[in-house]
């Protein structure tokens, strides 16, 4: 069977996550308006067509010292990717990351290399108040791309990030660690270690469980 | 010092508790940065005292 058009598209069934077809068939696809996603029925349950779904995009305000995204994590997804792009910081900053209202028990190692010399420049969070290097900011832009595994499960949350300073004399590297806490988090907060943030977007993606 | 905090789309002045928390976290970060800078200065001073470069020190320690 061939369906072809050059000026029109195929329109799926349109529903919401609470008004899905009551007698679905295997392989049926619908477009959900409340989750902005295509979902497919896989024999016994509905699942996103895409493995990675944008959950929320939060625009950062003007000259703020912290940004909380309050409905980021849920039982729908076990694992998440979070990016921060655009915007500026008032000065060179590290972007810290805190889960919910938990202010202790953050552990991470950050193996890093100095751009100019290739020398090691490692650092760590040892039972810290937050993960200190989830990303960076400068007067040019904000930059973060990190992963959180199991933040909404009653398990330790695992944290993995890329860390790349935005000036020629600094360092690039990675980071990974965990939160020594089994709270089922729904929110996170981005906190610069100095100065303020203006503009840019925090995007939260969920990895499909099925 | 005043701070603005953002919760989703709402931007407001930080409460006293939030200000204390922000300043505590920032002082920890500054202490860490100072410790790192002090360590780098001490290293430079030692290299000067020994009259060798950082690369030469690496060679002495068996590094590349």
């Amino acid at each position: 069977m061939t369906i072809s058009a050059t000026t029109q598209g195929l329109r799926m069934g349109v529903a919401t996550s609470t008004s899905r077809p009551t007698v679905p068939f295997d392989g049926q696809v619908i477009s959900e308006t409340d989750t902005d996603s295509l979902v497919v029925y896989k024999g016994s349950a509905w699942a996103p067509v895409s493995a990675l779904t944008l959950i929320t995009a939060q625009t950062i305000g003007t000259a703020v010292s912290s940004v909380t995204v309050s409905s980021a994590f849920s039982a729908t997804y076990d694992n998440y990717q979070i990016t921060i792009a655009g915007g500026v910081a008032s000065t060179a900053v590290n972007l810290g990351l805190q889960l919910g209202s938990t202010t202790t028990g953050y552990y991470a190692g950050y193996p890093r290399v100095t751009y100019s010399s290739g020398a090691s420049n490692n650092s760590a969070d040892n039972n810290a108040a937050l993960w200190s290097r989830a990303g960076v900011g400068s007067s040019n832009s904000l930059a973060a791309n990190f992963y959180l595994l199991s933040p909404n499960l009653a398990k330790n949350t695992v944290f993995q990030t890329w860390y790349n300073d935005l000036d020629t004399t600094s360092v690039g590297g990675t980071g990974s660690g965990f939160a020594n806490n089994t709270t089922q988090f729904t929110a996170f907060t981005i906190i610069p270690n100095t100065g303020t943030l203006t503009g840019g977007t925090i995007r939260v993606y969920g990895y499909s469980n099925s | 010092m005043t701070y603005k905090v953002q919760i989703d789309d709402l931007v407001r002045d930080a409460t006293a508790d939030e200000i204390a928390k922000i300043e505590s976290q920032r002082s920890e970060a500054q202490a860490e940065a100072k410790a790192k800078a002090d360590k780098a200065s001490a290293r430079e001073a030692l290299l000067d005292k020994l009259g060798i470069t950082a690369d030469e020190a690496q060679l002495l320690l068996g590094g590349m």
Side-chain angles (χ1 to χ4, degrees):
Chain A
M1 179 179 73
T2 301
I3 300 174
S4 178
T6 57
T7 60
Q8 294 183 322
L10 184 65
R11 186 178 188 230
M12 300 291 163
V14 177
T16 70
S17 57
T18 56
S19 67
R20 292 167 173 165
T22 52
V23 188
F25 56 86
D26 201 7
Q28 186 171 1
V29 176
I30 59 172
S31 172
E32 285 186 359
T33 55
D34 57 335
T35 60
D36 286 333
S37 59
L38 285 178
V39 295
V40 60
Y41 191 73
K42 293 185 173 178
S44 60
W46 293 92
V49 170
S50 169
L52 198 61
T53 300
L54 177 65
I55 297 168
T56 188
Q58 179 62 56
T59 301
I60 298 172
T62 301
V64 295
S65 299
S66 69
V67 186
T68 297
V69 180
S70 61
S71 298
F73 314 127
S74 70
T76 304
Y77 305 100
D78 288 350
N79 305 314
Y80 299 81
Q81 182 175 1
I82 298 171
T83 64
I84 305 175
V88 293
S90 59
T91 185
V93 300
N94 296 326
L95 299 178
L97 170 65
Q98 215 164 54
L99 299 173
S101 56
T102 295
T103 58
T104 186
Y106 295 88
Y107 295 81
Y110 303 93
R112 306 182 303 169
V113 172
T114 304
Y115 297 142
S116 58
S117 66
S120 293
N121 186 332
N122 299 327
S123 63
D125 296 325
N126 181 25
N127 196 19
L130 74 177
W131 285 305
S132 62
R133 290 173 172 82
V136 298
S138 73
S139 57
N140 176 266
S141 66
L142 309 177
N145 179 23
F146 57 88
Y147 302 86
L148 292 173
L149 313 183
S150 313
N152 191 252
L153 299 180
K155 305 284 184 184
N156 292 328
T157 298
V158 172
F159 163 69
Q160 297 173 329
T161 190
W162 303 99
Y163 177 92
N164 307 93
D165 276 334
L166 300 173
D167 68 86
T168 57
T169 62
S170 203
V171 303
T174 62
S176 63
F178 77 108
N180 192 19
N181 187 311
T182 55
T183 299
Q184 292 179 266
F185 298 104
T186 58
F188 70 91
T189 301
I190 298 295
I191 307 170
N193 66 330
T194 187
T196 60
L197 311 178
T198 296
T201 306
I202 302 170
R203 292 183 176 87
V204 182
Y205 300 87
Y207 281 92
S208 173
N209 286 352
S210 57
Chain B
M1 181 83 184
T2 60
Y3 298 96
K4 285 183 183 176
V5 298
Q6 178 176 352
I7 300 171
D8 298 325
D9 290 330
L10 174 68
V11 177
R12 58 166 172 75
D13 290 337
T15 64
D17 280 353
E18 288 166 339
I19 291 170
K21 194 168 130 184
I22 290 167
E23 292 187 339
S24 166
Q25 287 167 355
R26 291 187 171 193
S27 64
E28 279 180 30
Q30 284 160 5
E32 183 190 336
K34 184 177 182 309
K36 191 171 286 182
D38 289 348
K39 189 177 172 186
S41 297
R43 183 170 176 271
E44 287 298 317
L46 179 59
L47 290 173
D48 282 349
K49 192 173 174 183
L50 294 171
I52 60 174
T53 66
D55 286 344
E56 289 167 340
Q58 284 280 62
L59 281 173
L60 280 174
L61 294 170
M64 296 295 289

